[in-house]
C-alpha cells in the first residue's frame, strides 16, 4: 500500500516512525527501497549502508539488531529470485499471526 499511495499523487508522502527511528523504521524503508529500486541496490548490505548513511550523523550503523538485518536480507534474496510484487496472504510472527484482508 505504500507504493500505491506514493504512486497515486506526487504530493503524497509516507511518514514512518518507531521509538528511535532507526530499527523498525529502517527495516520498512530498506525493504521498500529494495522493492522499488532494485537496480540501485544490489544487496541488503547496499541498502542498509545507504540507509545508515542517510539516517546517522556519524559513520555508524543505523540497523544493529541482528533479526532486523536478517529479515532485510531475506527480503533481498526473495526479490532477487522473483522480482516484482506478489500477494502476501499471511505473515507469521512468533506468538502472533496477522491475516491480510482481501
Amino acid at each position: 500500500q505504500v507504493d500505491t499511495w506514493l504512486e497515486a499523487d506526487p504530493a503524497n508522502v509516507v511518514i514512518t516512525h518507531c521509538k528511535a527511528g532507526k530499527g523498525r523504521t529502517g527495516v520498512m524503508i530498506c525493504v521498500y527501497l529494495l522493492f522499488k529500486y532494485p537496480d540501485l541496490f544490489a544487496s541488503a548490505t547496499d541498502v542498509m549502508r545507504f540507509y545508515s548513511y542517510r539516517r546517522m550523523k556519524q559513520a555508524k550503523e543505523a540497523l544493529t539488531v541482528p533479526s532486523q538485518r536478517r529479515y532485510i536480507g531475506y527480503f533481498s534474496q526473495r526479490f532477487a529470485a522473483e522480482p516484482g510484487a506478489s500477494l502476501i496472504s499471511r505473515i507469521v510472527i512468533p506468538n502472533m499471526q496477522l491475516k491480510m484482508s482481501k
Side-chain angles (χ1 to χ4, degrees):
Q1 290 182 349
V2 168
D3 194 49
T4 302
W5 171 254
L6 291 173
E7 292 290 329
D9 187 325
N12 288 351
V13 297
V14 172
I15 298 171
T16 179
H17 180 62
C18 59
K19 185 176 179 184
K22 295 187 310 181
R24 289 166 285 187
T25 296
V27 170
M28 185 271 180
I29 290 170
C30 286
V31 297
Y32 179 73
L33 290 172
L34 285 166
F35 171 77
K36 186 67 176 175
Y37 305 104
D39 296 335
L40 295 178
F41 303 102
S43 68
T45 302
D46 289 347
V47 78
M48 287 187 285
R49 188 176 294 131
F50 175 78
Y51 176 72
S52 292
Y53 173 77
R54 298 296 299 182
R55 171 62 181 83
M56 304 301 286
K57 292 181 181 177
Q58 299 174 349
K60 293 182 181 180
E61 290 289 327
L63 291 153
T64 57
V65 177
S67 62
Q68 293 171 339
R69 297 177 63 83
R70 188 170 54 249
Y71 274 86
I72 293 169
Y74 294 159
F75 190 90
S76 175
Q77 290 172 6
R78 184 262 178 243
F79 277 95
E82 293 181 51
S86 65
L87 177 64
I88 298 174
S89 60
R90 185 172 75 153
I91 298 171
V92 178
I93 301 171
N95 301 321
M96 183 185 319
Q97 183 171 336
L98 306 174
K99 294 190 181 194
M100 311 303 274
S101 61
K102 291 185 178 182

